[in-house]
Amino acid sequence: MSKEKFNTPDLTLKNNLSNARGKQQWNVLLSLVEKYNKKDLTNITTNKFDEDIWEPSAHHSKLYLPIKFNEILQLSAAYPFKVFLKIYAVYCLEELRMSFSTVGIKVSSIKNIFAPIIMSLQEPILKAERDYEWLTLGELTAGDIYSIITQCSPDKCPHALLDSLNTIEIAQSFPDLAIFCSGFITPWQEDNMSLEKWKAHYNSSVGNILKRKPYSALSDESVSQIVKVAMPFIENISIEPGSGIMLSDKDKELPLIQLLDQIKTLSHKNKQFNYTNLPSIVYREPDFKNCIEKHKSFLSSINHDVKPYLREDSRNFYNQTPTAKFYTELFAKAQQAAIWIVLLTTGLRNVDMRALTESSLVYSQKLNIWFIKAKILKTKNTIFIPAGQACVQAMKLLNYLRYSKNCPCLIQNKVFTFSLKEIPHEQLEVRSCATLNRKIKVFAQFYNIDVETVSESDDEYTSHCVRATLAGFIGRNSTLSILILKRLFGHSNFIMPEQYIRHNRLVQQKRAEILNEMHSEIAFEIAKSIANDEIAGPKSAELKKGAQRLKSQIRLKNESLNESDVHKALTTQLYEILMDDILEEQTHTLLTPMAVICMRATNQSSDSPCTSKENRVQRDSLGISRTMFNVLQQLPNPSQCVGIDCPDALATRTHSMPLLEQFDWYTNVYRYCTGKNNNNCAEDAQHFMNTYYPIIKANNLIVEAELFKKKYGAVLFKLFKDKREDGYFDS
């Protein structure tokens, strides 16, 4: 098939195809429809096969959106494609064991992106009137598929479409789908590539497939403002385990609870009145008016005074009474506040938030702690999230605000209405991510809070951004953030927690602050050691000369300074020089496992003692000459540090204490084994020698002790001569 056909509108179907073959195809098609109409689909959907909307069955979460087939292909000739798509959905659900939501995404991508293009072709691919022949998807070449993909606009992001086409390629081996897609081949199969590898090639060459951006965290200021206005809704709700998720008798004295209880009581008393006049009747009731007056300060604290909601009506009955909006907004805001608190304290995904029920809040008598028991729909596992006081209070409020106790979901579409009619569960369940996102946005907008993300592109926020916010907070305040997030978020690996942290600008800033503090600390300690002449090793001579020059310059500039002032000024200047070198990455300044500081200049490209062996092996394996290799910057390898033998090594009194301790150990070995000064051997060392002397002899540790003492004696003498007796460091 030629590529040009993709730009040709569908004018007529080809009528020159064999009617006999067409009748055979339609007989097979109708027999498949009859077969699947009789098939038990109760594990998949509550609907029949021939229905165009499939609601999820009890085996799937009711929060999943239905799979809709009625929005596609209004042409009567599109019936073969519709049947194909339904059998394809059954195949994915039953044979491939995909989740209901995943199949819904696949069906949507095919019907919204792929099907319209196929239906626009002149060739009757899965398109025919009754008893006329159609062509299978196998009629499309890999080049045709590529052309279809390139027609997708970037805003449609054909990631899901590519995955769906990949599944069609697999599905053609299924007997019931062979009549629709036998011979179907994708561009990646023709190129003998995996889909992921082909995506990467396509993305780099065409740039049509959008990269998924990580969710950005909310700014600290935004979170602070949200918490400030949300907390009054849940404050003072008791969290004693005795009442579980239900409110206690004490809670019924709280302003918000009293107001809703009064309204519900009065509403039930006045069932004969309608939605328009009932709010006015309720407001005129003495008990309710007293309740409003009693809790004026609370209503003011949540910015919900009665005055803005009062009617201005010529009819006396309605004039100066609140509209129904006063009541519905009050309790809607209470629900939205509770949602914000739960999101901020648990980091639950949107779909998992919507799946919370009254049994999700549990108390452990053994551990004396509240937990959120959450079934994670993405990973199909159940996690227990420790719930603090605010989270427990918010969960209890969500439970109280439920429109219908018959619907188990804590977050329902309706919270309060003067209509007392029973509403079906499916209308109360929040089944769309957008609905929950809208609830949290409406809350922020009501309080004029401009919720900002920390992304440079200022992306619009969603509930998943709150998840990223919690991850960032933990990342900034715990060294065990990866482990905590893996458990808290129910991740199956350590990659996803790192993704949440690594892309968070607030975490990046915090890590930069910690790094700067570490740099500042080591720079000051080195500066102080140089100024106090408490350094030794190959690098010390160069640093001492520099310090002397600085000291002379300080004295020349101000001859009135005493020795103490000169010393202080010298330390400060040395610190500033070292910090500049570190921040501008002129020196590495690493404390190595050998208790020396590596002061290697970053512009050195020749092999250092700690990398020479490793670099030689790498050069040999790559076949690169040493001259070419040395052009590249070579990083030191602290794990292979050779200690004081390195020309870039600096030993200081502060950092090289472990060397002194090791020297003491070898000294004790040497003295014991050679019989010199046995009486000076420490008691615990003496016991060690007595016990392990045969091992020491067998491993020739005497020679090792002699070498260590000879190697480090002079350096340690310069640093610690006041801490040991005369002659202690002599080899």
Side-chain angles (χ1 to χ4, degrees):
M1 288 164 61
S2 64
K3 188 174 179 180
E4 286 73 17
K5 69 176 178 218
F6 289 105
N7 299 317
T8 306
D10 180 20
L11 300 176
T12 58
L13 297 178
K14 286 188 175 180
N15 295 319
N16 59 347
L17 297 173
S18 167
N19 283 345
R21 178 172 169 77
K23 287 180 180 179
Q24 289 178 346
Q25 284 183 318
W26 276 89
N27 286 337
V28 174
L29 176 69
L30 295 175
S31 66
L32 283 172
V33 172
E34 185 179 359
K35 171 185 174 180
Y36 278 87
N37 277 329
K38 294 177 180 178
K39 184 178 173 64
D40 182 8
L41 299 178
T42 53
N43 286 342
I44 295 175
T45 177
T46 56
N47 301 93
K48 299 293 184 183
F49 179 80
D50 58 0
E51 294 183 74
D52 284 341
I53 298 179
W54 290 3
E55 297 283 351
S57 70
H59 293 271
H60 303 279
S61 171
K62 288 187 177 181
L63 297 178
Y64 287 140
L65 293 173
I67 300 175
K68 297 180 179 180
F69 302 95
N70 61 333
E71 296 174 354
I72 66 166
L73 318 175
Q74 298 304 318
L75 297 171
S76 59
Y79 188 70
F81 199 109
K82 186 179 288 188
V83 174
F84 154 71
L85 201 55
K86 288 184 176 183
I87 299 176
Y88 170 80
V90 174
Y91 169 77
C92 291
L93 286 159
E94 288 194 338
E95 301 296 325
L96 301 183
R97 302 291 182 184
M98 292 180 179
S99 70
F100 196 87
S101 63
T102 300
V103 176
I105 292 169
K106 286 183 178 294
V107 169
S108 294
S109 67
I110 293 173
K111 74 179 184 181
N112 295 331
I113 305 174
F114 187 61
I117 297 175
I118 297 300
M119 292 299 109
S120 70
L121 303 180
Q122 284 186 320
E123 285 76 6
I125 298 176
L126 295 189
K127 175 178 62 172
E129 296 293 349
R130 180 68 180 265
D131 291 340
Y132 280 89
E133 183 183 1
W134 72 78
L135 301 176
T136 73
L137 292 175
E139 181 72 13
L140 297 169
T141 67
D144 296 332
I145 300 297
Y146 186 86
S147 296
I148 291 174
I149 293 168
T150 56
Q151 287 189 52
C152 297
S153 58
D155 61 311
K156 289 185 177 178
C157 191
H159 281 291
L161 175 61
L162 296 181
D163 291 334
S164 301
L165 296 178
N166 196 56
T167 309
I168 291 176
E169 190 171 70
I170 298 168
Q172 63 184 296
S173 61
F174 185 60
D176 291 349
L177 288 173
I179 189 176
F180 305 105
C181 56
S182 179
F184 184 75
I185 184 169
T186 59
W188 45 96
Q189 184 190 35
E190 186 173 67
D191 293 342
N192 198 25
M193 284 186 185
S194 67
L195 174 57
E196 291 304 317
K197 189 174 181 180
W198 189 88
K199 277 183 186 179
H201 281 276
Y202 180 78
N203 188 38
S204 60
S205 62
V206 182
N208 197 32
I209 300 177
L210 298 178
K211 292 182 179 179
R212 294 185 178 98
K213 293 195 298 185
Y215 287 94
S216 179
L218 307 181
S219 69
D220 287 348
E221 184 181 359
S222 297
V223 173
S224 176
Q225 291 181 65
I226 290 291
V227 171
K228 184 178 179 180
V229 296
M231 285 303 291
F233 287 93
I234 65 168
E235 280 176 344
N236 301 318
I237 294 177
S238 61
I239 60 169
E240 288 79 15
S243 55
I245 198 170
M246 306 298 292
L247 295 177
S248 66
D249 292 337
K250 182 181 175 182
D251 294 329
K252 293 176 182 176
E253 301 299 317
L254 296 175
L256 186 69
I257 311 305
Q258 279 198 345
L259 287 168
L260 187 54
D261 280 348
Q262 285 273 0
I263 293 170
K264 285 182 176 179
T265 301
L266 294 171
S267 297
H268 281 82
K269 282 172 59 179
N270 295 278
K271 290 182 181 180
Q272 71 274 26
F273 297 100
N274 59 41
Y275 183 83
T276 303
N277 61 24
L278 191 53
S280 300
I281 293 171
V282 167
Y283 184 69
R284 291 171 182 273
E285 287 281 346
D287 287 346
F288 185 69
K289 288 203 75 169
N290 291 337
C291 191
I292 289 281
E293 189 64 30
K294 178 182 176 182
H295 299 307
K296 276 175 67 175
S297 60
F298 167 74
L299 290 171
S300 180
S301 72
I302 61 172
N303 195 20
H304 201 79
D305 297 315
V306 178
K307 193 172 181 180
Y309 297 92
L310 294 180
R311 303 172 193 258
E312 292 185 6
D313 199 304
S314 58
R315 291 167 292 180
N316 290 333
F317 183 80
Y318 293 110
N319 195 32
Q320 294 301 300
T321 60
T323 61
K325 192 176 181 182
F326 169 77
Y327 307 99
T328 54
E329 279 198 359
L330 172 62
F331 301 111
K333 281 195 288 185
Q335 184 199 50
Q336 293 154 11
I339 291 170
W340 265 110
I341 296 298
V342 176
L343 281 172
L344 284 167
T345 52
T346 64
L348 283 170
R349 292 183 183 89
N350 188 308
V351 67
D352 298 325
M353 272 291 293
R354 293 183 279 120
L356 291 175
T357 65
E358 60 180 312
S359 62
S360 297
L361 183 66
V362 295
Y363 183 78
S364 170
Q365 295 285 353
K366 186 176 182 180
L367 300 175
N368 193 29
I369 191 173
W370 286 97
F371 287 98
I372 304 293
K373 181 183 178 182
K375 185 175 181 180
I376 306 303
L377 297 180
K378 182 177 181 180
T379 55
K380 301 293 187 290
N381 63 328
T382 301
I383 63 173
F384 291 84
I385 305 170
Q389 177 175 321
C391 183
V392 175
Q393 291 171 324
M395 289 284 286
K396 294 181 79 163
L397 180 58
L398 285 174
N399 180 60
Y400 176 74
L401 291 171
R402 281 193 292 160
Y403 180 87
S404 171
K405 302 302 179 186
N406 294 325
C407 178
C409 297
L410 287 186
I411 301 173
Q412 297 182 1
N413 276 318
K414 288 186 177 293
V415 176
F416 167 78
T417 175
F418 283 104
S419 174
L420 301 173
K421 67 178 182 180
E422 190 65 30
I423 298 176
H425 290 184
E426 57 270 17
Q427 293 182 28
L428 289 175
E429 293 165 350
V430 179
R431 306 180 73 180
S432 167
C433 290
T435 302
L436 187 69
N437 289 334
R438 187 165 56 250
K439 284 179 180 290
I440 64 174
K441 288 178 181 179
V442 166
F443 183 79
Q445 289 165 1
F446 180 88
Y447 288 101
N448 297 316
I449 299 173
D450 185 14
V451 179
E452 297 178 341
T453 64
V454 296
S455 71
E456 294 178 354
S457 55
D458 194 27
D459 299 321
E460 186 179 8
Y461 73 97
T462 65
S463 59
H464 210 98
C465 292
V466 185
R467 181 176 171 86
T469 304
L470 179 61
F473 176 81
I474 294 171
R476 284 180 284 160
N477 292 278
S478 174
T479 55
L480 299 175
S481 55
I482 300 296
L483 292 172
I484 293 171
L485 288 176
K486 182 177 183 294
R487 180 63 61 87
L488 181 64
F489 285 0
H491 288 144
S492 58
N493 56 59
F494 290 103
I495 297 173
M496 284 305 297
E498 173 60 22
Q499 290 290 321
Y500 276 96
I501 292 174
R502 184 160 55 87
H503 293 294
N504 189 306
R505 285 183 61 202
L506 297 178
V507 175
Q508 294 167 3
Q509 291 169 8
K510 184 66 176 180
R511 286 179 171 178
E513 288 173 13
I514 293 171
L515 196 59
N516 192 59
E517 288 174 8
M518 292 169 59
H519 288 157
S520 180
E521 183 180 348
I522 195 168
F524 179 74
E525 288 174 346
I526 295 172
K528 188 171 66 172
S529 297
I530 297 170
N532 292 341
D533 195 20
E534 294 176 343
I535 58 174
K539 204 71 176 178
S540 63
E542 176 188 336
L543 293 172
K544 284 179 180 179
K545 285 180 183 178
Q548 285 299 326
R549 285 197 299 272
L550 279 175
K551 199 170 185 179
S552 300
Q553 291 172 6
I554 292 168
R555 284 200 175 111
L556 284 172
K557 287 181 180 179
N558 195 336
E559 296 179 359
S560 63
L561 292 178
N562 58 34
E563 193 61 33
S564 176
D565 292 335
V566 171
H567 182 272
K568 190 181 295 184
L570 175 62
T571 304
T572 301
Q573 287 196 27
L574 287 168
Y575 165 76
E576 291 172 353
I577 292 169
L578 287 165
M579 271 300 286
D580 286 343
D581 283 352
I582 294 171
L583 295 178
E584 293 175 11
E585 299 182 356
Q586 294 182 10
T587 57
H588 290 291
T589 322
L590 305 167
L591 180 60
T592 77
M594 292 301 293
V596 297
I597 297 168
C598 175
M599 300 289 289
R600 183 176 174 81
T602 56
N603 61 3
Q604 287 194 34
S605 58
S606 59
D607 290 345
S608 62
C610 60
T611 60
S612 58
K613 183 178 179 180
E614 180 183 338
N615 289 348
R616 185 175 66 251
V617 172
Q618 191 175 358
R619 282 195 299 267
D620 292 344
S621 65
L622 296 173
I624 300 174
S625 69
R626 180 166 185 160
T627 305
M628 290 180 63
F629 198 82
N630 284 350
V631 173
L632 305 172
Q633 182 183 350
Q634 302 300 317
L635 295 173
N637 183 0
S639 64
Q640 300 297 322
C641 177
V642 297
I644 212 68
D645 289 340
C646 178
D648 298 310
L650 175 70
T652 74
R653 187 179 174 103
T654 302
H655 302 99
S656 298
M657 183 61 75
L659 283 177
L660 177 62
E661 294 169 354
Q662 196 169 1
F663 190 90
D664 290 340
W665 193 87
Y666 278 122
T667 297
N668 282 322
V669 170
Y670 180 76
R671 286 178 172 178
Y672 182 86
C673 295
T674 60
K676 297 180 179 179
N677 301 323
N678 262 346
N679 295 333
N680 293 334
C681 193
E683 184 178 344
D684 56 342
Q686 185 76 45
H687 174 73
F688 181 86
M689 302 302 172
N690 290 336
T691 306
Y692 294 101
Y693 180 70
I695 298 174
I696 292 169
K697 290 287 287 183
N699 288 280
N700 207 18
L701 284 184
I702 301 171
V703 174
E704 191 174 324
E706 288 176 335
L707 292 173
F708 189 89
K709 284 171 63 63
K710 186 174 183 179
K711 181 176 179 178
Y712 286 99
V715 170
L716 294 174
F717 173 75
K718 290 180 182 179
L719 298 176
F720 302 108
K721 58 186 174 183
D722 59 323
K723 288 187 172 291
R724 298 292 183 267
E725 71 273 12
D726 291 343
Y728 183 81
F729 295 105
D730 295 344
S731 57

